[in-house]
């Protein structure tokens, strides 16, 4: 999605979440229209960041530890299996890089 | 040395809020280094993280000039590096986010550098510990920079969805 499309999505989400509040000197106040405008921009930017770079973190989460991957490679060499390559391919496939 | 942390501002969140600013009109520019202590912070939505921007003249700076780098220490799996450039915000938790169940809270210390210096970039270092939305313990060590030479007078906190449900955020100046 483009940033403009994500902004439309963010606008709908902020509208649905209204009213939103901020805290000023420990007093809870409803957002001003400028606060709502900024919240939409911030949310759209956050969505853009997730869309463009979220797969990197997701892959890091999904990969086995280095120790586990070395163990997979050892047993692959002993048993002529493809456990390690299959694991890496699965993680990449489950968390595709955005086009 | 006793009395080296001078309390400048504090926000104690007990009812959900979407954002707030530490410092701003309460900023005291007489320090070189500042510290922000975050205690028992919890969001009201799983997998989201606490985000923040520097404020200049009380206004959050939202241009894509934030860079960050962090080592994420994870109790349930291997450690991971996380970095990015030209973002419109920085964040406390790793991008996988935090949780909402009992004990899934965030504790963090930030140090702020160069905030009063209009000819230098402002830097922040981060040390945090949190339990994520799966109850897994995660530490984080790193920091960020805003690559515009300007003075700043606070930190604007918000989240990428939902609200900050609870927590104590305290800003200190480090006595010279």
């Amino acid at each position: 999605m483009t940033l403009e499309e994500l902004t439309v999505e963010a606008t709908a989400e902020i509208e649905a979440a209204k009213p939103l509040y901020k805290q000023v000197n420990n007093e809870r106040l409803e957002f001003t229209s400028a606060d709502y405008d900024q919240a939409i921009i911030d949310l759209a930017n956050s969505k853009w960041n997730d869309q463009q770079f979220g797969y990197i973190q997701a892959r890091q989460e999904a990969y086995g530890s280095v120790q586990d991957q070395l163990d997979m490679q050892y047993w692959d060499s002993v048993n002529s299996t493809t456990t390690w390559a299959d694991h890496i391919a699965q993680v990449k496939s489950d968390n595709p890089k955005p086009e | 040395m006793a009395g080296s942390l001078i309390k400048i501002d504090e926000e104690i969140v007990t009812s959900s809020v979407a954002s707030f600013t530490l410092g701003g009109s309460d900023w005291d520019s007489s320090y070189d280094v500042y510290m922000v202590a975050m205690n028992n912070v919890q969001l009201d939505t799983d997998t989201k993280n606490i985000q923040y921007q520097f404020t200049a003249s009380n206004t959050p700076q939202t241009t894509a000039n934030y860079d960050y780098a962090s080592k994420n220490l994870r109790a349930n799996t291997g450690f991971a590096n996380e970095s990015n450039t030209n973002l419109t915000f920085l964040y406390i938790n790793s991008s996988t986010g935090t949780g909402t169940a009992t004990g899934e809270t965030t504790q963090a210390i930030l140090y702020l550098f160069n905030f009063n210096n209009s000819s230098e970039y402002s830097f922040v270092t981060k040390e945090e510990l949190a339990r994520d939305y799966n109850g897994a313990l995660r530490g984080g060590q790193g920091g960020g920079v805003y690559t515009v030479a300007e003075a700043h007078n606070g930190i604007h906190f918000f989240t990428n969805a939902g609200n900050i449900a609870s927590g104590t955020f305290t800003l200190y100046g480090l006595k010279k």
Side-chain angles (χ1 to χ4, degrees):
Chain A
M1 295 174 79
T2 65
L3 183 57
E4 289 71 26
E5 290 169 332
L6 291 170
T7 301
V8 171
E9 196 174 276
T11 301
E13 287 181 24
I14 294 294
E15 283 295 324
K18 283 183 176 180
L20 291 175
Y21 294 89
K22 60 183 177 181
Q23 187 161 312
V24 180
N25 293 325
N26 291 302
E27 186 180 358
R28 194 166 178 257
L29 306 171
E30 189 176 352
F31 268 19
T32 63
S33 60
D35 292 329
Y36 281 118
D37 290 345
Q38 189 58 51
I40 290 167
I41 293 168
D42 289 335
L43 182 56
N45 284 331
S46 184
K47 286 174 176 289
W48 173 259
N49 186 50
D50 286 346
Q51 174 184 276
Q52 297 303 112
F53 309 111
Y55 78 97
I56 297 172
Q57 185 67 19
R59 286 181 178 183
Q60 286 181 342
E61 291 286 324
Y63 285 134
S65 68
V66 171
Q67 291 90 335
D68 286 344
Q69 290 191 45
L70 287 170
D71 190 61
M72 289 178 204
Q73 291 181 11
Y74 169 75
W75 287 110
D76 281 345
S77 70
V78 170
N79 299 324
S80 298
T81 54
T82 58
T83 307
W84 176 74
D86 293 345
H87 169 63
I88 298 299
Q90 186 68 51
V91 170
K92 289 183 184 297
S93 152
D94 289 348
N95 303 283
K97 196 173 182 177
E99 296 177 8
Chain B
M1 186 195 322
S4 294
L5 290 175
I6 311 300
K7 188 169 163 182
I8 296 171
D9 194 11
E10 183 172 69
E11 293 290 345
I12 301 172
V13 179
T14 55
S15 295
S16 290
V17 291
S19 69
F20 65 87
T21 296
L22 265 187
S25 56
D26 296 320
W27 186 255
D28 179 343
S29 63
S30 56
Y31 302 97
D32 291 334
V33 180
Y34 298 83
M35 188 184 97
V36 175
M38 300 168 53
N39 188 203
N40 287 338
V41 179
Q42 192 166 48
L43 306 182
D44 67 2
T45 307
D46 271 340
T47 76
K48 303 306 176 187
N49 54 36
I50 304 158
Q51 303 183 339
Y52 62 100
Q53 295 157 332
F54 302 162
T55 65
S57 302
N58 304 335
T59 302
Q61 298 305 284
T62 60
T63 60
N65 291 100
Y66 293 94
D67 299 345
Y68 81 94
S70 178
K71 173 67 91 176
N72 297 333
L73 314 168
R74 306 178 296 187
N76 60 338
T77 183
F79 298 169
N81 299 320
E82 190 169 352
S83 62
N84 212 328
T85 58
N86 300 324
L87 296 177
T88 56
F89 55 86
L90 295 169
Y91 49 87
I92 301 291
N93 312 102
S94 71
S95 59
T96 47
T98 184
T100 56
T102 301
E104 290 177 352
T105 58
T106 297
Q107 330 293 330
I109 296 288
L110 310 178
Y111 283 100
L112 317 179
F113 299 89
N114 296 340
F115 267 48
N116 297 313
N117 190 333
S118 59
S119 57
E120 297 277 359
Y121 296 165
S122 290
F123 288 78
V124 56
T125 62
K126 172 196 83 168
E127 183 174 15
E128 57 112 346
L129 192 62
R131 293 180 79 230
D132 72 9
Y133 60 94
N134 290 316
L137 183 68
R138 288 163 180 267
Q141 190 88 38
V145 62
Y146 186 64
T147 56
V148 175
E150 64 180 18
H152 298 110
N153 73 337
I155 301 267
H156 180 69
F157 290 96
F158 55 107
T159 173
N160 50 338
N163 294 285
I164 299 166
S166 59
T168 300
F169 298 72
T170 311
L171 172 67
Y172 300 92
L174 270 64
K175 192 173 179 181
K176 293 182 189 176

